[in-house]
Amino acid sequence: MPATAATESPQGLAAYADVTTSEASLRRFLHGLPGVDQVGAEARAAGLGTRSIKTTAKSMALDLAITMVDLTTLEGQDTPGKVRALANKALRPDPSDPSCPSVAAVCVYGDLVGPVKEIVGDRVNVAAVATAFPSGRASMEIKLADTRDAVAAGADEIDMVIDRGAFLAGHYLQVFDEIVAVKEACQRPDGSHAHLKVIFETGELQTYDNVRRASWLAMLAGSDFIKTSTGKVQPAATLPVTLVMLEAVRDFREATGVQIGVKPAGGIRTSKDAIKYLVMVNEVAGPDWLTPDWFRFGASTLLNELLMQRTKQQTGRYSGPDYFTLD
């Protein structure tokens, strides 16, 4: 992943320095953001979801979607052998077709970063969940140690979870400070940083207004990506929630010149779903986000569906689900 993109802006991040100096100023700013029209957001998301694309464009979209997958396993029964197999699949999703692209990253628990890194090296990123995933309920010492351990093991990306209890209670500065601290813990001895994705668990945030507020809070705190969900809570990623987050990163770049990525995760299982999201990215945020550097899918089963559709596009035959290895 590249460093967070910056472009010329009349204001820049410096214009928001006073916003995070106190709980009162941060609350005033977040609650001063334009409210989300729930009916309008859901209607627009539904409308974008009905767009159709032509065969040639669909082939390109399938390959693009594959390159955006964070191939994920986050189960208590995960083993080094399982994640090594997943790492090999990440490198060569379809071993029978060398033209099939690799995925963006493999996402695992922090203690399994090493076995994945042994397989993928620098060819595919390794993402680790941290900060007491999925609940986010632990002391800061534990959260920071969790992050540092994953970075030391070779994680290229850290997927942290915010404390939703603190956020919903209105303790915005506490959440902000935690993100800042985790960002600092992502630093390596050579001064470089693992990229930080901030998970909101949007299914627990209750309103689209809260999703917008969480997006701006995380971006002001230094996140490189904002992410919908852990995949452990329903609803997880939805088109309307992702639309709100895409609007937020678009508006943030317009205001500051800084580009932030978006990662919907959980519940995205079919190629049709993936293409709906790609259409939305293009229409809402713009084509600059249509790369794995700025948009990802957090998924465990999506990759096989994309591979089956890709094979059908190439051969005219639909392979069964057992044609590709199970994730």
Side-chain angles (χ1 to χ4, degrees):
M1 290 177 66
T4 303
T7 58
E8 290 299 321
S9 168
Q11 297 181 353
L13 278 171
Y16 295 89
D18 292 342
V19 168
T20 57
T21 55
S22 70
E23 186 74 69
S25 60
L26 184 54
R27 173 185 294 275
R28 187 163 50 248
F29 173 79
L30 294 176
H31 283 262
L33 292 169
V36 179
D37 177 356
Q38 178 177 344
V39 174
E42 292 175 353
R44 188 178 185 203
L48 291 171
T50 63
R51 299 278 182 88
S52 60
I53 60 176
K54 296 180 179 179
T55 302
T56 303
K58 183 176 181 180
S59 296
M60 295 173 61
L62 291 171
D63 275 7
L64 178 59
I66 290 170
T67 69
M68 293 174 165
V69 168
D70 280 4
L71 192 56
T72 301
T73 182
L74 296 168
E75 303 296 337
Q77 61 186 350
D78 289 343
T79 64
K82 179 181 177 181
V83 299
R84 287 190 186 100
L86 202 68
N88 279 302
K89 181 168 183 173
L91 288 172
R92 296 192 64 191
D94 183 356
S96 68
D97 183 359
S99 71
C100 183
S102 300
V103 304
V106 178
C107 185
V108 295
Y109 281 110
D111 62 315
L112 292 171
V113 167
V116 177
K117 199 69 175 176
E118 289 171 6
I119 301 296
V120 302
D122 295 326
R123 293 173 289 175
V124 167
N125 285 341
V126 181
V129 294
T131 65
F133 177 96
S135 69
R137 306 307 293 260
S139 68
M140 271 309 294
E141 290 79 6
I142 290 174
K143 292 180 181 181
L144 295 178
D146 198 15
T147 303
R148 293 188 186 107
D149 285 349
V151 173
D156 303 292
E157 303 168 10
I158 295 295
D159 288 28
M160 71 165 285
V161 287
I162 65 166
D163 182 338
R164 283 85 73 191
F167 180 89
L168 291 170
H171 302 316
Y172 300 131
L173 194 60
Q174 175 186 331
V175 179
F176 176 89
D177 287 342
E178 286 193 3
I179 297 171
V180 170
V182 173
K183 176 82 171 185
E184 291 174 354
C186 288
Q187 185 170 342
R188 305 184 183 97
D190 64 1
S192 63
H193 283 77
H195 277 71
L196 179 63
K197 306 194 200 86
V198 177
I199 308 170
F200 302 148
E201 201 68 287
T202 51
E204 294 183 345
L205 293 190
Q206 302 173 353
T207 68
Y208 295 133
D209 285 342
N210 276 340
V211 173
R212 177 167 286 172
R213 290 170 187 145
S215 298
W216 273 85
L217 185 156
M219 293 187 291
L220 288 171
S223 64
D224 299 296
F225 258 74
I226 52 176
K227 177 178 172 182
T228 61
S229 321
T230 63
K232 304 296 185 182
V233 170
Q234 295 300 323
T238 67
L239 287 168
V241 158
T242 305
L243 182 144
V244 171
M245 293 168 65
L246 288 167
E247 289 176 339
V249 298
R250 176 200 65 198
D251 295 345
F252 188 79
R253 187 177 74 167
E254 183 177 339
T256 68
V258 178
Q259 185 167 340
I260 306 296
V262 176
K263 177 181 173 180
I268 305 170
R269 296 184 175 89
T270 70
S271 59
K272 288 183 179 179
D273 289 340
I275 290 172
K276 288 177 183 178
Y277 279 92
L278 295 182
V279 169
M280 179 177 289
V281 171
N282 187 62
E283 294 292 324
V284 176
D288 286 353
W289 272 267
L290 281 175
T291 81
D293 290 334
W294 303 114
F295 191 79
R296 300 280 185 85
F297 294 108
S300 56
T301 60
L302 174 63
L303 179 59
N304 271 4
E305 229 284 317
L306 292 169
L307 294 172
M308 287 188 284
Q309 289 295 333
R310 188 177 187 272
T311 300
K312 182 183 179 183
Q313 290 290 115
Q314 293 177 334
T315 67
R317 298 187 304 275
Y318 191 83
S319 301
D322 56 348
Y323 183 80
F324 300 101
T325 58
L326 296 176
D327 299 338

